[in-house]
Structures are given as C-alpha cells and as structure tokens.
Amino acid sequence: MGKKILKVLGVIIAVIALFLAVVNIIPPKKNVEVNPFLVKEGQLPMIAAHRGGSINNPENTMLAFEKAVKEIGVDIIESDLYLTRDGYLVYNHDDYIDETCNVNGDISLSEVKELCEDKDNRHYIEDMTLAELQKYNFGYYFENEKGERIYKDVADVESAGLQVATADKLFELFYDSHPDLKFIVEIKDAGERGKKACQILSETLNKYPNYKDQIVIGTFNDEIEAELKENYPELMRGASTGAAAKFVLTQYVGVNIFDNSDFACLQIPLSYDAGIEVPLDKMTLVNRAHRRNIAVQYWTINDASEMRMLIEMGVDCIMTDDPVLLKEVLKEYK
C-alpha cells in the first residue's frame, strides 16, 4: 500500500513539474508591443530624477527639473501630480505643501513638521488655486551639501524657477529642446478628482503629442487605474500595487503565463514588507518582465552600492533623489 501511494505521489509530482516546465517554455504575450522605457540588452539603465532630484535641487520646482535635464542629463523626470482647486495639475510629493515652501511664514522645518502633526493645520493642494500656490517659495527649506538654505531669501521666485511646477509648463519647457525626454507621473488624487486629473493630463498631452508615447502613468488607486485603462487606453500605465503584487507572485511560483496584466512598467522597491520582508531585487524577475516587454524601474535608490547591483541586474531605470550620484556611478560602466 505504501509503495502504491509513493508511486501516485511520484506521478503527481512529475505532472506538476512537466506542467511548470511547459508554461515557462511557452512565450508569454507582450504587455505592450513598443515600450520606449525598455533599454536594449547591454545598455545602461535610464536615470529618473525622483521629484526632479530632491537631493541636488529644490524638489518639484522648475529649477530642479531644468537642472536635472539640462545640466545633469537625466533621461526621465519622475514625480506625483495633484489637482488644484481650479483644475491645474501641479507637481508635489504630498497632498499638502507645508514642508516644501514658506506657506507658514518664517519658521523652521522642524516647527512645520510639528505643526502638521495636526492634519487640520496643513495647507492642502486641493483647497488652493494655482495663483495662491504660485505666491510661495518652494525652495525655502532646501539645503545644499553644506546644509545651507541657499534659496530661503529669494525674492522673485518665478524668475528663479522656485514656484510650484505645473504639468503643462513642464512639457512646454522641454518639448522642442528635448523631444526624447520621458516622464513617469503618478496621479495621487482619488475618486472624481482623480478622474478629472486623468482627463486634464490627457488634454494637456494632446498639445504635446510626441510626449504621449513617452509618459507612463501610475496610481495606487484601483479606481483610477480602471479609469485610465477604460478611457485613456492609448496612454501607457505603470503597475498598480495590486497588479505589481500579482505579477511578482506569478513569476516567483513559475506560472507567469497566467498573468493577464497589461501595464508597461513595473515600478518597485528593492523589497516589500508583507509581514515578512519579500526581496524584489531578483534578476529572474527582471528577465521575466522583459519577456513580456515590461520595463523594470526601481525606486528610490540613493545608495551607490545598490545602484551598482541594479545596473548589473540589467534593470531599465533607476529612480533616485540623487541623479548626480547615479551619473557618477554609471560612468564606471561606460
């Protein structure tokens, strides 16, 4: 009886092994036919300036974006978009502006953070018009490598490029001079505001049609992902949290043929805390994504050794707050 059970178990194991082998041999469908965010085999990864490169320059300002592109030479601008009260898309990491500008007057950043512990004290973008936002200096708390707040006393913030940056002005700034520039944006608003943000972004891109094929849009909100997929299918999407988790899981268990995702870019950290630490810095994950024409983009990498590891894994993009450092690391490989 025992030998019979072992024989049956052996057959089952053999069938499962054969099944897994077959599903991994069958070429998977491509998520997108043409993906400008993929680098060719042997090429170095693209540099994405996270928030415009917040270590090097005041984050999410036109000054930061211009220096990242024209001086540092990044390939991609990455940031988050929020909708103002009067319907403009502006770049900011959080839904409130207190920690990046002088909306609270001349107080220290530590005082601002203490003030903002009470959410009722925060100045939210959705409650403000673009004109109201443009009054403030978004380089106010930026410190250079010496710890100096070099933009604190700038009087003409518009001329200095220290106003809040808008999507339309950013596209306009680079459209003629840098036609190959790429963009990673995340729509942070949810619900009807998020849907309106999708519409405004699409309408803005209609004015800059060459950039429509060079932007990938992400969201943590499943409702907004569905909105993009249904009403703006021509725009490339990054993987939502759920879609990324499903993709990673199917790759790890070897049944990636059953993944039916259609995102263009897999944007992930080095690891994910799911009760236990799940490592995501795996070359097999990169290779399997590439089989489906998915670009693999890691965030937010500010350490040189981690940059080198990802370069050697063959990733497509490294998002960093310090594009100057990444540029220096990449020189080692040229």
Side-chain angles (χ1 to χ4, degrees), residues 220-283:
F220 283 129
N221 189 291
D222 291 339
E223 183 182 18
I224 303 307
E225 183 189 30
E227 174 75 8
L228 287 166
K229 187 173 181 178
E230 180 178 353
N231 294 318
Y232 309 96
E234 73 281 5
L235 298 176
M236 285 180 286
R237 288 177 288 104
S240 66
T241 304
K246 180 182 176 185
F247 181 83
V248 170
L249 179 62
T250 59
Q251 311 316 302
Y252 274 6
V253 299
V255 290
N256 49 301
I257 195 170
F258 295 114
D259 177 71
N260 60 356
S261 62
D262 58 356
F263 55 81
C265 299
L266 181 66
Q267 298 153 338
I268 50 177
L270 293 177
S271 63
Y272 181 74
D273 186 359
I276 58 170
E277 198 76 10
V278 180
L280 300 178
D281 53 339
K282 300 294 182 182
M283 191 175 292

Side-chain angles (χ1 to χ4, degrees), residues 48-320:
H50 182 249
R51 310 188 200 180
S54 60
I55 288 177
N56 309 137
N57 291 289
E59 66 181 66
N60 292 313
T61 60
M62 294 298 282
L63 176 68
F65 294 137
E66 189 162 17
K67 283 182 174 288
V69 174
K70 294 183 178 180
E71 294 184 11
I72 302 171
V74 305
D75 307 286
I76 304 171
I77 286 176
E78 187 281 340
S79 197
D80 305 326
L81 285 172
Y82 287 94
L83 192 64
T84 67
R85 182 159 60 87
D86 54 344
Y88 288 90
L89 287 174
V90 298
Y91 291 97
N92 207 62
H93 182 68
D94 298 311
D95 58 353
Y96 61 99
I97 62 170
D98 301 73
E99 295 183 19
T100 50
C101 74
N102 56 336
V103 67
N104 292 296
D106 188 17
I107 63 175
S108 69
L109 186 56
S110 60
E111 289 174 305
V112 168
K113 290 182 176 181
E114 184 177 347
L115 186 69
C116 288
E117 288 179 5
D118 182 347
K119 295 183 179 180
D120 290 336
N121 291 330
R122 297 176 180 178
H123 293 79
Y124 291 97
I125 293 171
E126 67 177 22
D127 297 327
M128 306 178 75
T129 66
L130 178 61
E132 290 170 336
L133 289 165
Q134 287 177 330
K135 293 187 297 184
Y136 301 112
N137 177 356
F138 279 79
Y140 193 74
Y141 290 110
F142 174 78
E143 294 183 353
N144 65 9
E145 64 277 3
K146 297 178 181 178
E148 301 166 331
R149 289 169 60 186
I150 56 176
Y151 300 112
K152 176 179 179 292
D153 298 317
V154 171
D156 189 348
V157 293
E158 181 179 5
S159 297
L162 295 172
Q163 285 183 324
V164 66
T166 63
D168 58 336
K169 291 297 182 184
L170 188 64
F171 295 149
E172 180 184 2
L173 177 64
F174 297 115
Y175 193 65
D176 293 327
S177 61
H178 293 79
D180 295 327
L181 184 63
K182 296 171 180 62
F183 302 86
I184 299 171
V185 299
E186 183 179 329
I187 292 177
K188 298 297 278 285
D189 292 293
E192 292 305 313
R193 290 185 59 81
K195 292 178 181 179
K196 185 68 175 176
C198 293
Q199 177 190 339
I200 292 172
L201 180 57
S202 177
E203 291 172 351
T204 303
L205 285 166
N206 287 338
K207 302 174 187 176
Y208 306 95
N210 292 343
Y211 279 167
K212 291 187 80 167
D213 296 327
Q214 293 170 203
I215 187 169
V216 61
I217 305 168
T219 176
F220 283 129
N221 189 291
D222 291 339
E223 183 182 18
I224 303 307
E225 183 189 30
E227 174 75 8
L228 287 166
K229 187 173 181 178
E230 180 178 353
N231 294 318
Y232 309 96
E234 73 281 5
L235 298 176
M236 285 180 286
R237 288 177 288 104
S240 66
T241 304
K246 180 182 176 185
F247 181 83
V248 170
L249 179 62
T250 59
Q251 311 316 302
Y252 274 6
V253 299
V255 290
N256 49 301
I257 195 170
F258 295 114
D259 177 71
N260 60 356
S261 62
D262 58 356
F263 55 81
C265 299
L266 181 66
Q267 298 153 338
I268 50 177
L270 293 177
S271 63
Y272 181 74
D273 186 359
I276 58 170
E277 198 76 10
V278 180
L280 300 178
D281 53 339
K282 300 294 182 182
M283 191 175 292
T284 53
L285 188 62
V286 176
N287 292 338
R288 288 184 171 180
H290 285 170
R291 289 184 71 196
R292 303 187 70 140
N293 245 24
I294 298 170
V296 185
Q297 305 170 330
Y298 279 87
W299 54 264
T300 303
I301 312 300
N302 298 325
D303 176 79
S305 61
E306 292 177 348
M307 291 173 179
R308 293 186 186 97
M309 176 189 67
L310 293 174
I311 292 166
E312 290 160 16
M313 280 172 50
V315 306
D316 300 285
C317 167
I318 297 173
M319 303 185 210
T320 179

